[in-house]
Amino acid sequence: PHSAKMASTSQASPSTSTPTSTSTSPTDAKAKIDFEFVRYENEGDLAPIQRLMEKSLSEPYSIFTYRYFINNYPALCWMATVDGKMIGAVVSKLDYHRGRFRGYVAMLAIEEEYRGRGLATQLVSKTIEMMKEHNCNEVALETEVTNIGALNLYLKLGFIKDKRYQRYYLNGVDAWRLILALDYSEQKKDGDSGKLALK
């Protein structure tokens, strides 16, 4: 699918949840919100992920697309929650591509009221760290050329612009193909890493 379409807008351990908190300005009624980052666990997480993506992304995806990514690469699906409610998610995969392990960020979305708090950066960072644990050499994604918030997020994480695809999305907007090169020498050397190890 056309990937990483985030609505305009740290290294993670392999554990299934990571509590954190984000402070806002003193004038905000919610000066501090406790977020928890959890990995996909079962089919019960699928519906809220799909609802969030459908509400936030301009490109429609079938249930089969969600199941392909999430069921095959559950360790690369991270969610941000507040009081048990999912308010952000990233969906990714890792495949062997032309002699290299390539990660792919397929979908990223944050509920509008929680944007601007660094959640998207943390979610993408967590899925990338998990990819690195499995000898990923590079990470790729596409995002709309008009989505300045998403572009800035990925560029700050070290992605570079690789190609521009004309009229890539159904809405006619062009896409940037972004690539993040990873230092393989610093990653685990555990032989047959990759897709199967991510389940």
Side-chain angles (χ1 to χ4, degrees):
H2 302 154
S3 80
K5 295 182 59 183
M6 186 181 75
S8 298
T9 345
S10 71
Q11 180 167 342
S13 70
S15 62
T16 57
S17 68
T18 307
T20 187
S21 62
T22 299
S23 297
T24 61
S25 64
T27 58
D28 197 315
K30 296 181 179 179
K32 186 177 180 180
I33 299 177
D34 292 323
F35 301 103
E36 186 175 16
F37 293 91
V38 297
R39 287 198 320 219
Y40 178 87
E41 291 187 0
N42 54 54
E43 188 81 4
D45 294 328
L46 184 82
I49 291 174
Q50 185 176 10
R51 283 195 297 268
L52 174 63
M53 298 300 175
E54 289 178 346
K55 181 168 60 174
S56 303
L57 307 184
S58 59
E59 202 91 339
Y61 298 112
S62 73
I63 187 64
F64 303 106
T65 300
Y66 289 98
R67 285 196 170 123
Y68 164 75
F69 280 99
I70 295 173
N71 291 340
N72 285 302
Y73 312 93
L76 299 180
C77 176
W78 282 86
M79 300 166 287
T81 66
V82 174
D83 297 328
K85 175 189 176 184
M86 196 195 70
I87 50 89
V90 63
V91 176
S92 307
K93 72 172 184 174
L94 177 63
D95 279 328
Y96 196 65
H97 178 78
R98 296 181 180 178
R100 298 163 63 83
F101 283 109
R102 170 179 280 188
Y104 186 74
V105 181
M107 307 175 204
L108 172 66
I110 305 294
E111 289 279 9
E112 187 172 1
E113 66 184 288
Y114 294 102
R115 294 174 193 164
R117 304 171 188 263
L119 293 178
T121 297
Q122 292 183 71
L123 285 170
V124 175
S125 296
K126 288 179 183 299
T127 197
I128 290 174
E129 289 301 325
M130 186 58 65
M131 292 175 186
K132 289 167 68 175
E133 286 289 315
H134 293 81
N135 293 345
C136 182
N137 301 104
E138 64 181 16
V139 184
L141 59 89
E142 294 89 26
T143 191
E144 294 177 350
V145 298
T146 55
N147 194 339
I148 304 303
L151 283 170
N152 287 339
L153 182 157
Y154 294 121
L155 293 176
K156 287 179 181 178
L157 286 172
F159 285 83
I160 61 172
K161 295 177 181 178
D162 180 51
K163 296 178 183 177
R164 180 165 177 157
Y165 297 119
Q166 301 293 323
R167 302 181 64 83
Y168 187 73
Y169 295 103
L170 293 177
N171 59 11
V173 174
D174 293 356
W176 279 115
R177 174 78 158 182
L178 304 179
I179 298 290
L180 173 66
L182 301 175
D183 185 354
Y184 185 84
S185 64
E186 295 182 358
Q187 298 164 30
K188 292 195 325 180
K189 305 297 189 295
D190 54 1
D192 295 328
S193 297
K195 177 177 175 180
L196 295 179
L198 289 167
K199 292 192 175 183

